[in-house]
Amino acid sequence: MVLYTDLLVVGGGPAGMAAVLQAADSGLSVILLERYDQLGGQLVKQTHRFFGSKDEQAGTRGNVIARAMEEELEQLDNVTVLLEATALGYYEDNILLVSAQHSLKKIKAERIIVATGAAEKMLTFPNNDLPGIYGAGAVQTLMNLDGVVPGRRVVMVGAGNIGLIVSYQLLQAGVEVVAVVEAARQIGGYLVHAAKISRTGVPIYTGQTIKRAYGNGEVEGVELWQLDHNWQGIPGSERSLAVDTICLAVGLRPLTDILVQAGCQMAYVPQLGGDVPLRDDNLKTSNHRFYVAGDAAGVEEATAAILEGELAGLSAILELGAKEGQSLEVKKRTVKKKLDKLRKGPVGEKIRAGLLKVRRDGNAGKDRYSHTG
Amino acid sequence: MRIKEHPVLEFKRGKMIKFNYNGRELTAYEGETVAAALHAAGIKTLRKSTEFQRHRGLFCAIGNCSSCMMEVNGVPNVKTCLTRVTEGMVVAEQRGKGDLGALY
């Protein structure tokens, strides 16, 4: 049996939920897929207060924002939420195959918004598959959600903001952080986070990386070495640290498998975390049915994901002929302005550079969402 | 190991339940994932790779990497980082790719 819907949103994190909420009064049928047994994505794990402007809910904790969006969503009777539902693949004739609570469903949608988020990046080194090696997100989940520590002695790889913050959270949980290791010559994260770590006596080694992990079946230690200016290990510079846990905080990559299957034109853009789909200024990809939003469009943060979700949602339902088209156009312009504002300044520099490479509307060189440039 | 004291966070733990891991009885808190319950019991090796029998454990904890798959109540390839542990659940390390024959 095939399910038909106007709009299908894949991923119930901040971007996906924001997209669905736009369809509230549209009269369109909407299906939202979420792999986990609850909505919210990584937002539910963000127990810190948001930065930035009041408009974008600064000062509110991520898990509170997620809960509020979910409550709003529950009110909508044109929306079907499928939990424990994984999109397995996109097939000919516009069929999306879904495993929903262990049964298979085929879904045909007029428009599909891919808001699948991102996955932890891996580093290549011998024995990188040993138990005891975790992505930073996994360590956060274990510690902050489950109240379980990953081990007793940890080496953190990556001194960006995530590596520094998770190191501090490990210390708070009573875990010994033996060192923070960073391949670049400088610490990537904010100084305030680095200072917090340094004050506790944890060394931050720059210009170094993992040569290999070792251990009989599980991590027992790690060998580090120094890097030369071509990022090559320097023989003779090795040193070993006895640790039972290696935490990798080396970035995230967008989850774009469905978009690749749908034949969307892709581009490798390091500033956005990896392979991402080309898109126009409404977040529509080169496949006319597909939109992208949130980390799947380029790794950024939750506020940008929410705004992108709103933009993709509004654009898709406008195309589908939603009832109150006029007011939606106005709303869409406001969202674009907010995104512009969010990405202004030095903090947004990397994202802006990345976004210039993924335009597909012939306006390369202008800011992606700018209407003035 | 579980965190006993934390300066910022408070953990609302469910009621204590029992489950079975490779024939052993373990305890867990209702509502937590199988992978978290096993970690709390100090068990980090969740499966072995199919070809070279290399040990594999939790890596991403968001259902993406497949490193934590185990056999749960007879069903193979269950992502234990997403699956909540329940009273009497039977969790076992999986051999090979898993046999679906018993299910279909």
Side-chain angles (χ1 to χ4, degrees), chain A residues 1-299:
Chain A
M1 196 190 75
V2 179
L3 292 173
Y4 291 86
T5 185
D6 294 318
L7 178 64
L8 175 67
V9 179
V10 186
M17 284 196 294
V20 170
L21 287 176
Q22 306 315 304
D25 306 310
S26 64
L28 299 168
S29 59
V30 184
I31 295 177
L32 172 63
L33 303 180
E34 166 54 42
R35 177 163 64 182
Y36 199 31
D37 64 2
Q38 68 183 74
L39 292 174
Q42 301 317 298
L43 211 49
V44 299
K45 295 170 194 174
Q46 299 185 355
T47 49
H48 59 265
R49 292 176 199 280
F50 274 41
F51 304 124
S53 78
K54 256 251 153 66
D55 286 356
E56 270 66 70
Q57 317 211 43
T60 311
R61 294 181 196 277
N63 48 348
V64 176
I65 298 172
R67 190 69 221 131
M69 291 175 88
E70 192 182 350
E71 274 167 18
E72 209 180 317
L73 240 156
E74 281 164 4
Q75 309 298 318
L76 309 182
D77 46 18
N78 60 329
V79 176
T80 307
V81 178
L82 297 178
L83 296 174
E84 292 177 73
T86 306
L88 300 175
Y90 184 68
Y91 294 86
E92 280 175 42
D93 300 329
N94 186 30
I95 294 273
L96 193 89
L97 191 66
V98 175
S99 162
Q101 297 179 347
H102 306 296
S103 77
L104 283 180
K105 288 189 190 332
K106 286 179 253 177
I107 302 179
K108 267 182 120 145
E110 287 304 316
R111 291 292 178 274
I112 300 170
I113 297 175
V114 175
T116 40
E120 209 89 48
K121 277 185 184 166
M122 194 59 194
L123 273 186
T124 48
F125 55 85
N127 296 325
N128 68 357
D129 59 345
L130 282 178
I133 300 176
Y134 305 87
V139 168
Q140 269 191 312
T141 305
L142 262 183
M143 280 195 310
N144 300 350
L145 233 55
D146 298 312
V148 174
V149 292
R152 290 170 207 275
R153 284 168 56 85
V154 180
V155 67
M156 175 67 65
V157 183
N161 279 327
I162 293 181
L164 296 172
I165 291 169
V166 175
S167 293
Y168 192 71
Q169 292 176 345
L170 280 159
L171 293 167
Q172 284 184 318
V175 178
E176 187 183 350
V177 180
V178 179
V180 178
V181 182
E182 170 59 55
R185 301 279 145 178
Q186 314 86 24
I187 293 166
Y190 297 144
L191 204 62
V192 49
H193 296 312
K196 249 177 160 177
I197 305 298
S198 296
R199 270 203 295 277
T200 64
V202 175
I204 302 177
Y205 301 133
T206 55
Q208 298 190 26
T209 193
I210 292 190
K211 186 182 182 187
R212 66 182 189 104
Y214 59 86
N216 185 18
E218 289 175 12
V219 171
E220 291 167 21
V222 63
E223 208 168 83
L224 306 177
W225 61 352
Q226 287 174 4
L227 295 171
D228 66 18
H229 286 278
N230 293 316
W231 308 93
Q232 301 301 307
I234 301 171
S237 69
E238 295 89 348
R239 77 163 115 184
S240 292
L241 296 174
V243 293
D244 61 7
T245 305
I246 299 169
C247 182
L248 301 178
V250 292
L252 299 168
R253 73 182 165 79
L255 285 171
T256 54
D257 311 56
I258 299 168
L259 295 162
V260 172
Q261 286 188 340
C264 300
Q265 284 181 296
M266 307 290 290
Y268 179 72
V269 183
Q271 293 95 333
L272 299 179
D275 282 306
V276 287
L278 302 187
R279 77 298 295 257
D280 67 12
D281 73 341
N282 292 317
L283 296 176
K284 189 174 183 164
T285 69
S286 63
N287 181 325
H288 77 282
R289 286 190 197 279
F290 280 81
Y291 285 82
V292 67
D295 275 0
V299 174

Side-chain angles (χ1 to χ4, degrees), chain A residues 35-38 42 45 119 122 127 129 131 133-135 138 143 146-150 152 172 217-218 244-245, chain B residues 1-3 6-9 11 13 36 39-40 44-45 54-64 82 84:
Chain A
R35 177 163 64 182
Y36 199 31
D37 64 2
Q38 68 183 74
Q42 301 317 298
K45 295 170 194 174
M122 194 59 194
N127 296 325
D129 59 345
I133 300 176
Y134 305 87
M143 280 195 310
D146 298 312
V148 174
V149 292
R152 290 170 207 275
Q172 284 184 318
E218 289 175 12
D244 61 7
T245 305
Chain B
M1 277 179 310
R2 293 191 187 276
I3 301 171
H6 198 285
V8 185
L9 300 175
F11 303 105
R13 288 172 170 139
H39 260 75
K44 284 190 168 187
T45 298
R54 290 180 61 85
H55 293 216
R56 292 283 160 78
L58 183 67
F59 175 73
C60 80
I62 56 167
N64 200 57
L82 295 183
R84 296 185 200 273

